[in-house]
Amino acid sequence: MSTRDELLALLLENARYSTEDLARQTGADAEAVAAAIEELEASGLIRGYQAVVDWDRADQERIRALVELNVTLDRETGYDDIAGRLVKFPPVKSLRLVSGDYDFALEVEGDSLREVSKFISEKVAPVPEITQTVTHYIMETYKDRGLEMGDGHDDGRLSFSP
Amino acid sequence: MKIADRVQQIPPSGIRKFFEIAEEMDDVISLGVGEPDFTAPWAAREAAIDSLKAGKTSYTANRGMRELREEIAKRVASQYDLAYDPDDEILVTAGASEGLDVAFRALVDPGDVVAIAQPSYISYVPGVTFAGGKPLSVPTREEDDFKLTTEILDAHGVADADMLVLCYPNNPTGAIMTEAEMAEVAKFVREHDLTVLADEIYADLTYGDEHTSIATFEGLRERTVVFNGFSKAYAMTGLRLGYAMAPPEVIAAMNRVHQYTMLSAPTTAQYAALEALQSCDNEVIEMRKQYNRRRQFVLSRFEEMGIDCFEAKGAFYVFPKCPWDDTDAFAEALLQEQGVALVPGHVFGESGDGHLRVSYAAGLNELREAMARIEAFLG
Ligand SMILES: Cc1ncc(COP(=O)(O)O)c(C=O)c1O
């Protein structure tokens, strides 16, 4: 594995590792690590860094919905055109073209049920190429981006063992 | 009640004193642990649960479930170039620990000299003693990166011993041996007609060079018992499952002891192990990746602190030089003052004195904090 790939793996695991800790873990020097990260960012391979939040523990309500979209294409409009339009809306958190029964998988997030449903009905559904939307509100999140939302487990090991 | 002499002559483990101190303290970060901080792969746990649901709570064949022995045979053949017949050359045991004990009892006669490459896992000397054998310490040296050399074997009279016990990748040093280095030991063993017990429980955990089993060298298979298990690579310590591999007459002898003492290894654990071999390779690869990052992290931190530490390339231990002359005093003060638990190297044999065993089977946050505390302690 190249240092670049190893850095990417480490940042995927924890984007808050310091440059020094990344260097220590990969056996590279800190300057080389800083340069490699800059390169990863500049090339657009790394798009950003975000916290994974367990919203069930927050006071604030957070509504998320997965929306299945079916579209019809014509000579002037392709998938990219429809996607290009949808991604501009801030409540759209992710948008993916998928295989199977529907065309796009859309993730929408907002502060209230009203806000999210209003967004879908007023901004998404009316897009002329969109023929159907099926909305699934997320009721409980058990795992997100590889992280379990449970209580974790205590280290049950003895403090010393041979 | 009278306690048997052979038990009385074995002192309690040197770890105990530290364990008692640590028990009294909060906020201890322990790098004194000889087991993975990961949990067994979920698929293996699920297989164990399913086996219980299906009522698989009986004994298995003494040697272990046939299907498990077949999977073990396949695995060691593809991974380590070891060919053992699942019918009569593999014994499934309650941990490598039981395998070792059974081997000592099956192969050591009273008075036999058993050479033990040290520093080493703490069970070999008591195991040999309980079997009536005479342990002979064979100290490896830091200047050789704690590898076993023919020079050391010669200098300590191993030529006249009956048996040699060795463990690479090593607990506590993290040392490994390359194929060429192991070939030299194999040659010595052949020349002096020794039996070899090769504890290869950390075989899956090497970083860089791949593990070479001593049993793969010419003339070694017929004089070697290889031990392995699921505790380390699969993070299954509490399930207690290991295995021994040797020629049929040796496995038959070991099985005789095993069938009268253990009967069969834990059935639930055998189901977990079967699943582990069948579907958990990716988890092992991921854990090894994590260990390697931590290993490099810890080595880098010791280097930054100016603590001398050879580059351990196996298991999940590094074995730095102790900054103080009195290793016990250092470990105790570090525990008392900073709440960081390490194991003094002499626990693993005299030749480990002056070193500390640092386990990196701990999360990066703990390692980072532990290293910061050690740095603070050194001032
Ligand atoms: C070198 C070595 N051999 C054997 C064992 C025991 O393994 P098991 O859990 O399979 O009995 C250990 C555990 O610490 C070990 O470090």
Side-chain angles (χ1 to χ4, degrees):
Chain A
M1 213 191 221
S2 69
T3 307
R4 198 187 87 142
D5 291 346
E6 178 67 356
L7 281 174
L8 199 54
L10 278 161
L11 290 170
L12 276 166
E13 175 183 289
N14 181 351
R16 291 203 58 186
Y17 283 139
S18 67
T19 306
E20 287 72 27
D21 282 353
L22 289 168
R24 288 169 182 136
Q25 290 184 83
T26 52
D29 70 66
E31 270 159 46
V33 167
I37 292 174
E38 231 164 82
E39 166 62 29
L40 283 167
E41 291 171 352
S43 70
L45 191 61
I46 289 181
R47 290 285 164 164
Y49 306 90
Q50 294 182 336
V52 179
V53 174
D54 183 356
W55 287 107
D56 293 342
R57 289 167 197 254
D59 305 330
Q60 182 189 350
E61 201 182 20
R62 205 73 199 146
I63 299 294
R64 289 199 282 177
L66 301 175
V67 189
E68 301 171 3
L69 301 181
N70 268 307
V71 300
T72 47
L73 304 180
D74 57 40
R75 212 163 288 148
E76 277 88 57
T77 325
Y79 288 125
D80 290 353
D81 301 307
I82 303 167
R85 192 167 158 185
L86 291 171
V87 293
K88 300 292 180 216
F89 292 113
V92 171
K93 294 303 167 189
S94 73
L95 178 67
R96 295 180 172 92
L97 184 65
V98 296
S99 64
D101 286 345
Y102 52 95
D103 299 309
F104 285 105
L106 175 79
E107 200 178 345
V108 184
E109 199 173 295
D111 291 333
S112 68
L113 202 60
R114 221 179 98 83
E115 184 188 310
V116 173
S117 59
K118 195 161 167 248
F119 172 72
I120 295 166
S121 60
E122 291 178 8
K123 296 286 187 279
V124 180
V127 172
E129 294 82 6
I130 294 178
T131 54
Q132 191 191 25
T133 64
V134 180
T135 302
H136 306 273
Y137 287 100
I138 291 173
M139 294 159 71
E140 180 89 45
T141 298
Y142 297 97
K143 191 174 183 181
D144 196 5
R145 280 179 279 172
L147 298 177
E148 283 183 54
M149 297 292 134
D151 283 331
H153 79 104
D154 286 337
D155 187 346
R157 298 177 302 163
L158 303 172
S159 50
F160 285 95
S161 61
Chain B
M1 232 182 288
K2 182 172 86 70
I3 305 298
D5 286 346
R6 67 176 178 285
V7 173
Q8 278 188 344
Q9 81 188 85
I10 301 287
S13 157
I15 301 181
R16 212 176 61 171
K17 173 173 94 183
F18 295 93
F19 180 70
E20 277 159 14
I21 300 169
E23 283 297 276
E24 298 296 303
M25 299 174 60
D26 321 318
D27 193 29
V28 171
I29 300 180
S30 184
L31 308 185
V33 188
E35 63 176 320
D37 59 314
F38 298 107
T39 314
W42 175 244
R45 283 187 273 159
E46 227 176 16
I49 294 165
D50 289 347
S51 77
L52 288 172
K53 282 188 178 158
K56 309 280 191 195
T57 54
S58 320
Y59 298 125
T60 67
N62 292 136
R63 290 161 188 244
M65 297 189 321
R66 164 87 207 182
E67 208 186 345
L68 175 58
R69 280 180 280 137
E70 279 170 10
E71 282 297 328
I72 291 169
K74 262 201 278 179
R75 172 55 55 102
V76 298
S78 65
Q79 202 163 339
Y80 303 116
D81 216 9
L82 291 171
Y84 288 99
D85 186 336
D87 269 333
D88 55 5
E89 296 187 315
I90 296 176
L91 178 67
V92 178
T93 54
S97 304
E98 193 228 343
L100 285 157
D101 174 50
V102 161
F104 290 136
R105 287 195 279 162
L107 305 177
V108 175
D109 271 320
D112 280 2
V113 174
V114 179
I116 299 171
Q118 288 188 329
S120 70
Y121 182 53
I122 62 175
S123 294
Y124 309 141
V125 171
V128 169
T129 310
F130 292 147
K134 285 200 186 122
L136 168 70
S137 291
V138 182
T140 59
R141 305 175 301 195
E142 185 179 25
E143 60 256 45
D144 304 322
D145 284 359
F146 295 102
K147 293 168 192 282
L148 193 55
T149 65
T150 47
E151 187 201 333
I152 291 171
L153 289 166
D154 251 331
H156 291 85
V158 180
D160 299 322
D162 298 287
M163 182 184 271
L164 172 65
V165 182
L166 78 171
C167 172
Y168 288 96
N170 182 268
N171 175 9
T173 63
I176 60 170
M177 297 215 1
T178 63
E179 186 172 354
E181 290 158 350
M182 199 54 101
E184 292 295 307
V185 174
K187 186 158 159 270
F188 182 96
V189 162
R190 216 166 35 228
E191 276 170 15
H192 299 285
D193 196 21
L194 303 175
T195 295
V196 179
L197 301 195
D199 182 349
E200 302 187 352
I201 192 143
Y202 292 102
D204 263 343
L205 302 179
T206 61
Y207 315 102
D209 297 310
E210 301 241 316
H211 174 69
T212 304
S213 173
I214 192 168
T216 55
F217 295 97
E218 205 200 318
L220 264 288
R221 189 185 186 280
E222 50 266 43
R223 58 176 71 254
T224 303
V225 188
V226 176
F227 301 88
N228 206 327
F230 296 87
S231 286
K232 311 298 172 172
Y234 293 93
M236 280 171 44
T237 44
L239 281 102
R240 312 302 309 123
L241 208 74
Y243 52 93
M245 298 174 292
E249 66 280 7
V250 174
I251 290 298
M254 287 173 61
N255 190 34
R256 198 162 327 151
V257 180
H258 171 79
Q259 75 187 187
Y260 286 122
T261 50
M262 185 59 66
L263 237 162
S264 62
T267 302
T268 311
Q270 292 191 52
Y271 281 100
L274 182 60
E275 182 65 30
L277 287 172
Q278 286 170 340
S279 80
C280 301
D281 288 358
N282 285 339
E283 276 91 335
V284 175
I285 291 168
E286 183 57 33
M287 289 190 269
R288 180 167 52 228
K289 232 187 247 172
Q290 300 279 350
Y291 289 134
N292 191 29
R293 290 171 185 163
R294 298 156 174 197
R295 180 184 73 95
Q296 299 192 105
F297 178 84
V298 168
L299 287 170
S300 302
R301 290 297 278 121
F302 280 135
E303 192 182 325
E304 289 162 24
M305 287 181 225
I307 290 180
D308 210 4
C309 189
F310 93 97
E311 193 194 349
K313 290 185 180 163
F316 35 63
Y317 310 104
V318 294
F319 205 58
K321 268 226 169 74
C322 181
W324 297 4
D325 286 340
D326 186 339
T327 320
D328 249 10
F330 180 88
E332 192 171 335
L334 179 67
L335 180 56
Q336 302 269 21
E337 288 174 34
Q338 294 286 347
V340 176
L342 308 176
V343 182
H346 65 75
V347 163
F348 306 95
E350 199 111 323
S351 48
D353 198 23
H355 291 265
L356 299 155
R357 188 189 74 174
V358 179
S359 164
Y360 50 84
L364 198 79
N365 288 340
E366 281 101 71
L367 290 173
R368 191 190 293 110
E369 172 65 17
M371 292 297 136
R373 291 188 193 182
I374 294 171
E375 199 163 42
F377 179 73
L378 294 171

